[in-house]
Amino acid sequence: MTFRNFARSTAAMMLVFSAASAGAEPLKIALVETLSGPQASTGLLYRDAVKYQIGKINESGGFGGEPIELLEFDNQGGPVGAADRVRAAISEGADVILQGSSSAVAGQVTEDVRKYNLRNAGNEVLYINLGGEAMELTGAKCHYYHFRTSPNAAIRVNTLLDGMKEAGVLGDNVYAMNQNYSWGVDVQDNTVGAAERLGFTVVEQTLHDVNKIQDFSPYVQRVQAAGADTVITGNWSNDLLLLMKASSGAGLDVRFGTAFLDQPGNIGNAGAVAEGHFLSAPFNAEVNPEETSAFMEDYKTVTGHYPSYVEPTTVFGLMLLGEALKIVEPTEDGLKAAELAVALENATAETPMGPISMRADDHQIIQPMIVQKVSTEAKYKADDTEFGFVPIKVISAVDAEQPVQDSCKMKRPS
Amino acid sequence: MKFGPLLLLITVAVLIALPWLVSGSMLNAAVQMLISALFAMAFGLLCGQAGMLSFGHAAYFGVGAFAAVHAMNAFGGEGLLPTPLLPLVGGATGLISGLLAGYFSTKRTGVYFAMITLALAELMHALAPHLKTVFGGEAGVSSFRMPAWGIGFGTLNDVYFLTLVWTVLCIGLLYLFSKTPLGRLALGLRENAHRLRFLGYNTHALGTLIFAVSAMFAGIAGALQSMNIEAANYVVLESHISTAVVLNSFIGGVRVFLGPAIGGAVMTFFGHVSSDLTRVWLLYQGIIFVLVMMFLPRGLVGELVERIRNPSGDGIAHTLSTLLMRLASLAITAFGAVFLIEFLQRFLSPEYRAGVTDGNWPDISLFTYDWSPLSMSPWAFGLGLFGIGIALVTMVNRRVAARKEAQA
């Protein structure tokens, strides 16, 4: 038995060595995501999308002739677990770290990667932030090895307002209703900031407790009293659902402009209450029908469901990574992360939504945004309801771009 | 208990040699085990020795964590507060916040005490996201461990030794504290606070002091954690951190001295290993807690100490053989249960569902074999093992009971 094991492992070692001499070491990419516990549902969506797109990259040759190896780590939902798993990922040889489902975790991962790179110059790793949308991550906390492939509060809010304005549904009086923490504050600031440019008045701004309020009717009364035409909100999950339900229950005739209405379960839960409300997101299934349908169907055959919420953005972000990997030449000891960083800044990917690229100044992705509306006329329905999202306006990558934050002082390696 | 000091020395020696014995990932786990052991010990002082069940210990852990991060940024690891002394800041802020919170909460006992601690912790948790300058907002406050005293503090080994020294020192201090008159009075507070008051002691001041000392050590543990991950985020104030320390301490055994520490270390290690192996590790964690509470209410260490102190009188050989039989039958039960849970989890996962095409159910690979979910074999295998295990456990228990009866 032991001898057989020995023989097997020797054979395996031989294989490894011969492979190593034939090509470079395979590129390892680590997904450090929340895969268990109460927040796992979003983490698992990222996992599906990452597995899908890494599979695509491997089908077209991988990196340096070797398939990319995807390592999965469970960050247990918090920064402490994430710090631990980032270390584990790096010690297992990961060159690129992927994570997306929480800005708290993203804040930890980006700092861990920055410090690791400071302490291990010449042996850097990259962090691709698939969905931590806090402004800080490309602001005060921005650094050369962090890349965000999702939009942020500024992009979400400004495109949403632009689209609603153009569709003639924004009205003159806008109410900013948000959760009282950094994300909600970012959304509120950007709403107020766009008032002059788009010629509307912010009649009132409210910051409320996060995920604690059961009854939104007092807030709805304030919206009514302020005479608002539109409510712009960055709320997600229950805070969004209960707000919309309270508003519809009070018979209020306002339109909601939201950032996360496409989260799975929202439409199923809200049903007709969500009809006519707006969303700005980097994907809609009806834009460029030919290419998008092909993508939708292919995604479904591989993963068993249509891509929604964070999945398309994740796939597109990794398409950009795939393009960048085509530019980089593998060296003897695998990938040079610094070269990949340069390549990411120069790469462009053609997604079904249009071309996307990475801005060199703060490593924020520049991508088209689609302002969309909940309607029964949608081709792809959400959550098995009769509702889905119909595109109202596609905002091109150039128009969706927002200025680099002053707080970002990125040190580029000389 | 004569083996106690020897055992302790061996443990410390192993802990010191650990960086040369285990891989980086395990050393990382060891750092977290030490931190959660210290945190559980701080909780154990309050709950086990003084009998005050706090549901809000994350608050003092968090206060220590944020204080250390801010101190790290302010001093840059130099001057008055070089990097290795940073946990002092966590301890000091923990002590002060413990005095304040303890003053209010120890005015009441029992459930009301627990409610006040919970409320205070929730207050912190609700407040933190609003104070961006102190708590750093969603992305947290981060810092950088600077070199000091000729040590770089960049590598995991340095962090491990720093954590080890502080944890061992603090647990030693906690032991000495339990021997002081104040520490002895804590036991009196637990057993009969009224009598203590009749004896002329100020029980409120006593409770406040013990609360503050417990909060101080929780603060040190928090500081060690933020030094380990070089950041602090307000999620550290979430209620599940408070719950985790309660669970860990009770699993270890809250009334024996090292019980909470071992409970904290064991459960952290369990989380570290199992979360990469299975998606349902939280379920296992819950099952372990329920089983320990049902069958070993004194906790793992508590039960062990009890067995050593009061041997059953059957002689070592017999006790050992019963123990081995019990463990073997429990292992069979556990394997059956794990097999069933894992099989069900894979069977119900969306990934598997995606692979099912009209009536064609692919095999599920588990424990290196492929099982067809439509055949009897996996279900019979799992249920059978589980059933056999349970039968064996009952049999062993019956035999032990019969023996006892015969002896009596």
Side-chain angles (χ1 to χ4, degrees), chain A residues 126 144-145 147 328 336-346 358 363 412:
Chain A
L126 285 193
Y144 187 67
Y145 294 99
F147 295 86
V328 183
K336 277 259 167 272
E339 285 171 19
L340 180 59
V342 177
L344 267 168
E345 288 179 345
N346 295 320
M358 187 60 70
H363 291 175
R412 308 179 66 86

Coordinates of all heavy atoms in Angstrom, one line a residue, chain A residues 126 144-145 147 328 336-346 358 363 412:
Chain A
L126 N -2.4 40.9 -7.3 CA -3.4 41.9 -7.7 C -4.7 41.6 -7.0 O -5.0 40.4 -6.7 CB -3.7 41.7 -9.2 CG -2.7 42.3 -10.2 CD1 -3.4 42.3 -11.5 CD2 -2.3 43.7 -9.8
Y144 N -2.3 51.0 -6.4 CA -1.9 50.5 -7.8 C -2.4 49.1 -8.1 O -2.7 48.8 -9.2 CB -0.4 50.7 -8.0 CG 0.0 50.4 -9.4 CD1 -0.3 51.2 -10.4 CD2 0.8 49.3 -9.7 CE1 0.1 51.0 -11.7 CE2 1.2 49.0 -11.0 CZ 0.9 49.9 -12.0 OH 1.3 49.6 -13.3
Y145 N -2.5 48.3 -7.0 CA -2.8 46.9 -7.3 C -4.3 46.5 -7.0 O -4.6 45.4 -6.9 CB -1.9 46.0 -6.5 CG -0.5 46.1 -6.9 CD1 0.4 46.9 -6.3 CD2 0.0 45.5 -8.1 CE1 1.7 47.1 -6.7 CE2 1.3 45.6 -8.6 CZ 2.1 46.4 -7.9 OH 3.4 46.6 -8.3
F147 N -8.2 46.9 -8.5 CA -8.9 47.3 -9.7 C -10.4 47.0 -9.4 O -10.8 45.9 -8.9 CB -8.5 46.4 -10.8 CG -7.1 46.6 -11.3 CD1 -6.0 46.0 -10.6 CD2 -6.8 47.5 -12.3 CE1 -4.7 46.2 -11.0 CE2 -5.5 47.8 -12.7 CZ -4.5 47.1 -12.0
V328 N 0.0 40.0 -21.6 CA 1.1 39.7 -20.7 C 1.8 38.4 -21.2 O 1.1 37.4 -21.5 CB 0.7 39.5 -19.3 CG1 1.9 39.2 -18.4 CG2 0.0 40.7 -18.8
K336 N 4.0 38.0 -13.8 CA 4.4 39.2 -13.0 C 3.2 40.1 -12.9 O 2.7 40.6 -13.8 CB 5.5 39.9 -13.8 CG 6.9 39.3 -13.6 CD 7.7 40.2 -12.6 CE 9.0 39.5 -12.1 NZ 8.7 38.7 -11.0
A337 N 2.8 40.2 -11.6 CA 1.6 41.0 -11.3 C 1.7 42.4 -11.8 O 0.7 43.0 -12.3 CB 1.2 40.9 -9.9
A338 N 2.9 43.0 -11.7 CA 3.1 44.4 -12.1 C 2.8 44.5 -13.6 O 2.2 45.5 -14.0 CB 4.5 44.8 -11.7
E339 N 3.2 43.5 -14.4 CA 3.0 43.6 -15.8 C 1.5 43.5 -16.1 O 1.0 44.1 -17.0 CB 3.7 42.5 -16.5 CG 5.2 42.8 -16.6 CD 6.0 41.6 -17.1 OE1 5.4 40.7 -17.8 OE2 7.2 41.5 -16.9
L340 N 0.8 42.6 -15.3 CA -0.6 42.4 -15.5 C -1.4 43.7 -15.2 O -2.3 44.1 -15.9 CB -1.1 41.3 -14.7 CG -2.6 41.0 -14.8 CD1 -3.0 40.6 -16.2 CD2 -3.0 39.9 -13.8
A341 N -0.9 44.4 -14.2 CA -1.5 45.7 -13.8 C -1.4 46.7 -15.0 O -2.4 47.3 -15.3 CB -0.8 46.3 -12.6
V342 N -0.3 46.8 -15.6 CA -0.1 47.7 -16.8 C -1.1 47.2 -17.9 O -1.7 48.0 -18.5 CB 1.3 47.7 -17.3 CG1 1.5 48.5 -18.5 CG2 2.3 48.2 -16.2
A343 N -1.1 45.9 -18.1 CA -1.9 45.3 -19.2 C -3.4 45.6 -18.9 O -4.1 46.0 -19.9 CB -1.7 43.8 -19.3
L344 N -3.8 45.5 -17.7 CA -5.2 45.8 -17.4 C -5.6 47.3 -17.7 O -6.7 47.6 -18.2 CB -5.5 45.6 -15.9 CG -6.0 44.2 -15.5 CD1 -5.9 44.0 -14.0 CD2 -7.4 43.9 -16.0
E345 N -4.6 48.2 -17.4 CA -4.9 49.6 -17.8 C -5.0 49.8 -19.3 O -5.7 50.7 -19.7 CB -3.7 50.4 -17.2 CG -3.7 50.6 -15.7 CD -2.6 51.4 -15.2 OE1 -1.6 51.7 -16.0 OE2 -2.6 51.8 -14.0
N346 N -4.4 49.0 -20.0 CA -4.4 49.2 -21.5 C -5.4 48.3 -22.2 O -5.6 48.5 -23.4 CB -3.0 48.9 -22.1 CG -2.0 49.9 -21.5 OD1 -2.3 51.1 -21.4 ND2 -0.8 49.4 -21.2
M358 N -10.3 50.0 -18.2 CA -9.9 50.3 -16.9 C -9.2 51.7 -16.9 O -8.3 51.9 -17.6 CB -9.0 49.3 -16.3 CG -8.6 49.4 -14.9 SD -10.0 49.3 -13.7 CE -10.5 47.6 -13.8
H363 N -8.0 53.2 -11.3 CA -8.4 51.8 -11.5 C -9.9 51.5 -11.2 O -10.3 50.5 -10.6 CB -7.5 50.9 -10.6 CG -6.1 50.8 -11.1 ND1 -5.1 50.2 -10.4 CD2 -5.5 51.4 -12.2 CE1 -4.0 50.3 -11.1 NE2 -4.2 51.1 -12.1
R412 N 2.4 55.1 -8.4 CA 2.7 54.1 -9.4 C 4.2 53.6 -9.2 O 5.0 54.4 -8.9 CB 2.5 54.7 -10.8 CG 1.1 55.4 -10.9 CD 1.0 56.0 -12.3 NE 1.0 55.0 -13.3 CZ -0.1 54.3 -13.7 NH1 -1.2 54.6 -13.2 NH2 0.0 53.4 -14.6

